[in-house]
Amino acid sequence: MEKNTRLILALDVLDSDEAIRISKAVAGHVDAIKVGYPLVLASGLQIIEKLVKYAPIIADFKVADIPNTNRLICEQVFDAGADAVIVQGFTGHDSLEACVELARERKKDIFVVTEMSHPGALDLMQEAGKAIAKMAADQCASGVVAPATRPERVKQIRRIIGEELAIISPGVGAQGGSASDAIMAGTDWVIVGRSLYQSADPAGAAAGIVREIKKVIKDSS
Amino acid sequence: MEKNTRLILALDVLDSDEAIRISKAVAGHVDAIKVGYPLVLASGLQIIEKLVKYAPIIADFKVADIPNTNRLICEQVFDAGADAVIVQGFTGHDSLEACVELARERKKDIFVVTEMSHPGALDLMQEAGKAIAKMAADQCASGVVAPATRPERVKQIRRIIGEELAIISPGVGAQGGSASDAIMAGTDWVIVGRSLYQSADPAGAAAGIVREIKKVIKDSS
C-alpha cells in the first residue's frame, strides 16, 4: 500500500452501485478503500474486483477463527483482488500467523485490531490491546488498527510496535477523531467513513482532509 | 432449533455442489448444519437458502465487530434463511447485545464462543472464557460454544450459564473429542465435521453417532 495521501475510505454502504459511485469519486484522493462484511455479503466477493480499479482494497473482516479457517478466508479475499485483510488478534498467535504467512507468500498485507472504540471494547479487549500489539509486531504483520479517537493510545501502541509496522486509525470525522491529532500521534493512515460517503461531494471532502494531513505534516517537519 | 438427534454437521467444504450432496445425505440425522465463511464467500450467501431445505443452518461467522456492523451481518444471515449465528463474545456486551436483540426480534438463535480449541486460544481467550460465558447468560443468548475436546470445561461452563442456555460442542471425531463424553459433561449438541463430510457414507456415519448419543443418554437416565 503506497503512502501518498494517507487517507483511507471506510466504505460502509450496502449497495454495490453506491459503493462503485463513491469509490470512483474518491479515486486519487485515497490510498485505499476499506470494505466490510455487510457490503460483501450483500454484493458477493466480486464487489472487490469492481472496486480495486479505483484504489487498493482492505477487507475489514475482523477475522477471528482457528488458523485453518482464517487462512481459507484470507485466501479467498486475496484471490478476489484485495490487498489487505484486517484480522482480530484476540484469537491468538497461531490464528494470526496463518494470515500473516499467507499474506507474505502473496505479497499482501495483514492489519491486526489492537483496540476498538465502542463501549464494549472496555470489557475484555482493552486490557488485551498491548499484548495484541506486541503479538502483531512479533509476527511481523504489516500493521495494526488503533483508534483515532484516542491519540494517546496510538502513541502507546507506536512505542510497542516500533517503526516497522504501520498504524491505520478509524474514527476520524463523524466519530469525533481528528485527522491532524491522529497523524501527530503517529498514525500512518487515517480512515474516514461517513464524512466521505455521506458527503454530497466525496472528492471535495477527501481533498479537504488530505490538505489538513499535508499541512500538519509540513508544520511539524 | 429442535433437539432430536443432538447432532450438528460442521460442513467445512468449499464447493457448493459437494455441500448440497452431503447435506442431502445427512438430512434427518442432524438437527442443524453449521456453515462458515469459507463456503459462503466461495458460493455466496445464497448457499444458505439451498441448504436450509435439509436442516436448520447455523452460520459460524465468529462475528467480532462493533454493534452496528454485527447487527448488519446478522440481518443478512437471517434474511438468507439461517436459523442461528455464532458470534465472538470478546468484543463486549454491546456487540453481543446487537446480535441477541436482533435474533429475539426474528425468533432466531445466537450462540456465543466461550473458548476455542486451537493452541492460540490459550494466549488471551481462555482467561476470558468464563467472563464471556457469564456475558452470554446475562444477555440471554440462546447458547454458547464450548469444546467437546475438554469435557471438564463444558461442565464448568454449564455451571456458569445454568440450564436456560444450550451448549453446542465442536471437536468430536477427527479432533479427538467423544460424543458420549461431551453429552455426559452437559453438552446439548455435538458438532461433527470430517467424520461425516469425508465419510464415504455420511448418512451411515451420522446414524452411528446418533446411536452412540442415544445409548449414553439411555444408560445414564
Side-chain angles (χ1 to χ4, degrees):
Chain A
M1 211 160 85
E2 278 190 52
K3 202 165 160 180
N4 294 316
T5 67
R6 303 180 64 161
L7 178 62
I8 294 169
L9 164 65
L11 189 55
D12 294 330
V13 298
L14 290 174
D15 181 73
S16 60
D17 289 341
E18 196 186 354
I20 292 166
R21 179 183 62 76
I22 297 162
S23 299
K24 203 169 174 174
V26 301
H29 298 288
V30 299
D31 284 344
I33 296 170
K34 181 171 86 68
V35 300
Y37 270 131
L39 176 63
V40 168
L41 289 174
S43 312
L45 209 46
Q46 301 75 20
I47 187 70
I48 292 178
E49 291 167 34
K50 291 177 187 160
L51 298 178
V52 81
K53 63 178 83 162
Y54 304 112
I57 300 299
I58 301 173
D60 183 5
F61 284 3
K62 308 260 184 349
V63 179
D65 215 309
I66 58 171
N68 189 50
T69 305
N70 274 12
R71 187 182 171 96
L72 289 171
I73 292 170
C74 290
E75 263 176 359
Q76 291 199 45
V77 176
F78 291 145
D79 286 349
D83 277 69
V85 183
I86 293 177
V87 308
Q88 289 282 9
F90 210 96
T91 38
H93 68 280
D94 47 359
S95 291
L96 176 56
E97 190 177 30
C99 302
V100 172
E101 275 186 359
L102 178 74
R104 200 171 291 134
E105 289 165 22
R106 302 282 188 97
K107 302 193 191 316
K108 304 278 187 173
D109 295 314
I110 296 293
F111 294 100
V112 187
V113 177
T114 57
E115 186 170 327
M116 296 169 76
S117 55
H118 63 294
L122 300 176
D123 296 346
L124 297 160
M125 286 194 76
Q126 195 179 45
E127 205 181 310
K130 290 181 186 177
I132 293 172
K134 192 172 178 310
M135 189 189 290
D138 290 345
Q139 301 272 347
C140 301
S142 304
V144 300
V145 187
T149 44
R150 296 179 191 150
E152 76 288 357
R153 294 289 289 179
V154 172
K155 282 186 198 169
Q156 288 173 0
I157 284 164
R158 173 59 73 202
R159 281 195 291 273
I160 296 168
I161 63 172
E163 298 298 323
E164 289 292 306
L165 278 75
I167 301 179
I168 62 176
S169 294
V172 167
Q175 286 178 61
S178 130
S180 322
D181 291 351
I183 294 285
M184 288 306 293
T187 283
D188 295 279
W189 281 277
V190 295
I191 305 172
V192 184
R194 280 171 279 176
S195 312
L196 297 181
Y197 68 74
Q198 288 181 348
S199 168
D201 174 18
I209 298 169
V210 174
R211 270 195 304 275
E212 180 191 338
I213 294 170
K214 289 202 187 301
K215 186 174 184 307
V216 71
I217 293 170
K218 195 178 163 212
D219 291 351
S220 68
S221 65
Chain B
M1 211 159 86
E2 278 189 51
K3 202 164 159 180
N4 294 316
T5 67
R6 303 180 65 162
L7 176 61
I8 294 169
L9 164 66
L11 189 56
D12 294 331
V13 299
L14 290 173
D15 181 73
S16 60
D17 289 341
E18 196 186 354
I20 292 167
R21 178 184 62 76
I22 297 161
S23 298
K24 203 169 173 175
V26 301
H29 298 287
V30 299
D31 284 344
I33 296 170
K34 181 172 85 69
V35 300
Y37 269 130
L39 176 62
V40 168
L41 290 173
S43 313
L45 209 46
Q46 301 74 20
I47 186 69
I48 292 178
E49 290 167 34
K50 291 177 188 160
L51 298 179
V52 81
K53 62 178 84 161
Y54 305 113
I57 299 298
I58 302 173
D60 183 5
F61 284 3
K62 308 258 183 356
V63 179
D65 215 308
I66 58 171
N68 189 51
T69 305
N70 274 11
R71 187 182 171 96
L72 289 171
I73 292 170
C74 290
E75 264 176 359
Q76 292 199 46
V77 175
F78 291 145
D79 286 349
D83 276 69
V85 182
I86 293 178
V87 307
Q88 290 282 10
F90 64 75
T91 39
H93 67 280
D94 48 358
S95 291
L96 176 56
E97 190 178 32
C99 302
V100 172
E101 275 186 359
L102 179 74
R104 200 171 293 135
E105 289 166 21
R106 303 281 188 95
K107 303 194 190 317
K108 304 278 188 174
D109 294 314
I110 296 293
F111 294 100
V112 187
V113 177
T114 57
E115 185 169 327
M116 295 169 77
S117 55
H118 62 295
L122 299 177
D123 297 344
L124 296 160
M125 285 195 77
Q126 194 179 46
E127 205 182 311
K130 290 181 184 177
I132 294 172
K134 190 170 180 311
M135 190 188 291
D138 289 345
Q139 301 273 348
C140 302
S142 304
V144 301
V145 187
T149 44
R150 296 178 190 152
E152 76 289 356
R153 293 288 291 180
V154 172
K155 281 186 197 168
Q156 288 173 0
I157 285 165
R158 173 58 74 200
R159 281 195 291 271
I160 296 168
I161 64 173
E163 297 299 324
E164 288 293 306
L165 277 75
I167 301 179
I168 62 176
S169 294
V172 167
Q175 286 178 62
S178 129
S180 322
D181 291 352
I183 293 285
M184 289 305 293
T187 284
D188 295 281
W189 281 277
V190 296
I191 305 172
V192 184
R194 280 170 279 176
S195 312
L196 296 181
Y197 68 75
Q198 287 180 348
S199 167
D201 174 18
I209 298 169
V210 174
R211 270 195 305 274
E212 180 192 339
I213 294 170
K214 288 199 188 304
K215 185 173 185 307
V216 71
I217 293 170
K218 194 177 164 213
D219 290 352
S220 68
S221 63

